[in-house]
Amino acid sequence: MEHGNEVLRIEHLHKEFEGNVIINDISLTVHKGEVIVVIGPSGCGKSTLLRCINALEDIQGGQILLDGVPVDRTAKNISRMREKIGMVFQSYDLFPHKTILQNVTLAPIKVQKRKKEDAEKEAVELLDRVGLADRKDDYPRQLSGGQKQRVAIVRALCMHPDILLLDEITAALDPEMVHEVLEVVLSLARSGSTMLIVTHEMAFARAVANRILFLDDGRIVEESADPKKFFACPETERAGAFLKTFDYE
Amino acid sequence: MEKEVILQYLPLYREALLLTLRIGWQGVLLALVFGVACTWIRQLKIPVLKSLVTVYIELFRNTPLLVQLFFLYFALPKAGIRMTPELCGSLGLGLLGGAYMAETFRSGLESIAPIQEESALSLGMTSMQALRYVILPQAATYSISGIVANVIFLLKETSVFSVISLMDLMFTAKDLIGMYAKTLECLTLLVVFYLIMLLPVSVFGSWLERRMRRAEFGA
Ligand SMILES: Nc1ncnc2c1ncn2[C@@H]1O[C@H](COP(=O)(O)OP(=O)(O)O)[C@@H](O)[C@H]1O
Ligand SMILES: [Mg+2]
């Protein structure tokens, strides 16, 4: 990867919860168009890492830069910064009191002050791309889990973020719905979106990643720019042991 | 039951109903204002004020309205603060109701999962925008049945106003019974007039609840 097109840079990130170190000196640079997949055992700090990037958590050390500008929870520009960082969570987080179309256009209209017609036009196009344009007037509770997650992705995309953070977005889904959501993410990756993805779907990780980060105990234990090789024969023992737990899948 | 008696008393009850309604609704309005103010202070976690709100809520939820009114009407004048019976009535009701409304608003807000605010923030909304477009509309829908229950409770509590010599429904009934001993007629009228006051609130409340649910969640 050439330099100069870096989107996100994390320097020596340190995060504690009540004295427990959760993120231990993590540094990471994400370039435009890169898809980085973060894997690691439950509780190792993957969600916390993404939440820190989106400034949903305060941090105790290090810094996070988006396009060279610090992401600081306490700074005045924080909502401007968050606008450029799209996030989709594991649990369905659509707004239950808004229709699908309203869910997707609320922030473009209220935050970016875009014209309602323009925002809706784009929203319908994007919804169409994930196969849900005909559900635009439904409420979230009328949709399946897989459909809701596709809407959540569209909602984030409508803000034209510089980077998309996906936190185990298929973990709460019935198995038959996982595929339809991952397909959407794969097509985003192909069209050049910059993404930081946390997932437990190893086959998907191998297919989508430019780079794999293996996290354990709040540290990057292994980093690989060759996902095929990483999954075939990881270099560290801990990554190996972790991957073994998926052997029965 | 004597029809004549009822017809004769009717205007007195009507007067009392109007007074009860006037003070009752003033009290409800004050309660909403106090409730919102307390909720605001609690949400923003304003130091000192936050603790005062807790003291206020516990104080008024755990003492009878009767005692609160006695205090406002008989004790405060000793400290140089004098109020008309009517002002005492609506203020007492408002203070009591504010404590209940604050609790209702809080549980409404607490029923909204934190992830709702977080996803609003992650879309670039400010805290105020998240509150306005995402949290409050949902919390209002969750709170509405509690708010209606509080209103009915407060309007019923007006029945203790007679202790500060307000000519409310209860006062009127007791007074008439004392003078003419037409107990059955007087109490029947009393029940009927309370129903006239409260049934519409109940019916309107249920309607509002259904309507908001449909408008908010498409259900
Ligand atoms: N709000 C919180 N308060 C205290 N501890 C937390 C909080 N959130 C997460 N943790 C702890 O931080 C660790 C990492 O959590 P998390 O980032 O959710 O892990 P992962 O997403 O990798 O499963 C866990 O041990 C968890 O218990
Ligand atoms: Mg997690």
Side-chain angles (χ1 to χ4, degrees):
Chain A
M1 283 286 161
E2 71 260 48
H3 293 278
N5 59 358
E6 94 182 23
V7 176
L8 179 75
R9 177 200 286 271
I10 300 173
E11 288 170 348
H12 305 292
L13 182 63
H14 183 87
K15 163 75 188 163
E16 296 176 5
F17 276 123
E18 293 132 15
N20 298 320
V21 178
I22 305 297
I23 301 284
N24 194 345
D25 193 25
I26 285 188
S27 295
L28 168 71
T29 304
V30 184
H31 297 90
K32 197 166 161 38
E34 243 187 330
V35 177
I36 297 185
V37 170
V38 181
I39 61 172
S42 179
C44 71
K46 305 180 296 293
S47 298
T48 306
L49 174 64
L50 296 199
R51 291 171 59 83
C52 288
I53 296 172
N54 213 350
L56 293 173
E57 303 286 351
D58 51 9
I59 60 179
Q60 280 70 50
Q63 67 171 346
I64 297 162
L65 299 161
L66 186 75
D67 303 317
V69 184
V71 179
D72 175 0
R73 240 169 103 72
T74 57
K76 273 220 174 66
N77 69 349
I78 189 59
S79 36
R80 287 254 160 278
M81 298 305 290
R82 285 202 185 104
E83 222 181 294
K84 302 187 215 172
I85 306 172
M87 181 142 179
V88 181
F89 300 82
Q90 170 179 339
S91 59
Y92 317 131
D93 58 321
L94 296 181
F95 306 133
H97 61 303
K98 304 244 173 245
T99 64
I100 299 310
L101 190 63
Q102 289 168 341
N103 259 279
V104 172
T105 56
L106 181 64
I109 293 171
K110 300 298 180 193
V111 174
Q112 295 181 330
K113 313 285 180 211
R114 289 169 57 189
K115 275 217 211 65
K116 189 161 179 263
E117 303 86 75
D118 297 347
E120 287 185 348
K121 186 160 165 287
E122 184 187 20
V124 172
E125 278 167 18
L126 282 170
L127 283 171
D128 191 39
R129 227 192 286 169
V130 301
L132 290 172
D134 57 331
R135 307 302 298 271
K136 69 181 169 59
D137 296 320
D138 286 344
Y139 281 84
R141 57 170 195 90
Q142 295 166 285
L143 269 55
S144 72
Q147 292 170 331
K148 280 190 251 193
Q149 287 301 63
R150 283 184 275 160
V151 172
I153 294 172
V154 168
R155 185 173 65 177
L157 287 179
C158 277
M159 297 298 285
H160 300 281
D162 294 345
I163 184 169
L164 206 50
L165 313 175
L166 308 180
D167 189 6
E168 296 201 42
I169 59 170
T170 59
L173 296 182
D174 291 334
E176 71 269 21
M177 288 170 186
V178 170
H179 186 72
E180 63 187 46
V181 175
L182 296 185
E183 275 300 310
V184 170
V185 181
L186 265 174
S187 85
L188 284 177
R190 286 196 203 103
S191 64
S193 298
T194 312
M195 292 189 278
L196 193 56
I197 303 175
V198 173
T199 184
H200 275 301
E201 301 286 335
M202 293 303 145
F204 167 71
R206 189 169 49 204
V208 80
N210 302 127
R211 201 150 35 114
I212 298 276
L213 296 183
F214 173 68
L215 242 65
D216 198 5
D217 230 358
R219 289 173 183 276
I220 299 176
V221 173
E222 185 168 343
E223 181 168 358
S224 167
D226 186 351
K228 308 252 166 348
K229 181 158 163 277
F230 172 82
F231 283 105
C233 47
E235 280 170 14
T236 61
E237 222 169 275
R238 274 201 271 175
F242 173 72
L243 289 178
K244 259 209 169 60
T245 61
F246 291 88
D247 277 356
Y248 299 105
E249 278 190 359
Chain B
M1 242 194 289
E2 292 173 40
K3 211 172 133 210
E4 323 266 278
V5 175
I6 292 193
L7 285 177
Q8 189 193 336
Y9 289 174
L10 219 45
L12 291 172
Y13 275 87
R14 218 191 48 217
E15 279 304 302
L17 175 69
L18 291 178
L19 178 94
T20 310
L21 270 179
R22 190 170 69 239
I23 303 178
W25 283 107
Q26 282 168 2
V28 166
L29 222 60
L30 278 177
L32 287 169
V33 172
F34 292 151
V36 168
C38 289
T39 309
W40 193 258
I41 289 168
R42 278 179 164 183
Q43 286 303 109
L44 295 181
K45 304 194 173 72
I46 303 172
V48 190
L49 284 180
K50 196 185 71 180
S51 315
L52 285 178
V53 163
T54 307
V55 171
Y56 156 66
I57 289 173
E58 293 311 321
L59 187 65
F60 279 85
R61 272 165 38 107
N62 294 301
T63 49
L65 179 60
L66 188 66
V67 175
Q68 295 163 16
L69 287 182
F70 269 145
F71 196 87
L72 290 178
Y73 194 64
F74 297 111
L76 284 188
K78 307 280 181 226
I81 303 169
R82 241 162 251 289
M83 284 179 281
T84 62
E86 199 171 321
L87 183 57
C88 268
S90 27
L91 188 62
L93 210 54
L95 286 169
L96 173 72
Y100 278 85
M101 291 293 184
E103 287 298 283
T104 301
F105 294 156
R106 182 172 71 160
S107 72
L109 286 171
E110 276 175 359
S111 64
I112 314 296
I115 187 118
Q116 288 284 314
E117 183 182 13
E118 288 173 354
S119 37
L121 293 179
S122 79
L123 286 164
M125 288 189 213
T126 60
S127 298
M128 280 307 294
Q129 287 173 322
L131 194 66
R132 173 160 168 212
Y133 300 118
V134 175
I135 297 165
L136 283 186
Q138 294 184 61
T141 308
Y142 284 121
S143 304
I144 193 72
S145 63
I147 295 172
V148 171
N150 287 346
V151 170
I152 293 173
F153 160 75
L154 290 175
L155 291 178
K156 282 197 286 200
E157 284 294 298
T158 56
S159 59
V160 308
F161 283 170
S162 50
V163 299
I164 52 172
S165 54
L166 277 168
M167 303 260 283
D168 75 319
L169 284 169
M170 194 70 186
F171 185 95
T172 304
K174 277 201 282 198
D175 204 35
L176 286 172
I177 292 171
M179 287 191 291
Y180 310 109
K182 301 283 182 198
T183 310
L184 180 61
E185 287 80 359
C186 285
L187 291 183
T188 305
L189 277 169
L190 184 62
V191 170
V192 168
F193 269 83
Y194 270 115
L195 286 177
I196 290 175
M197 177 163 80
L198 290 167
L199 268 183
V201 181
S202 272
V203 172
F204 174 73
S206 312
W207 173 83
L208 189 67
E209 207 177 318
R210 272 197 311 277
R211 219 196 80 107
M212 280 181 72
R213 217 155 257 287
R214 201 164 35 236
E216 292 293 337
F217 298 103

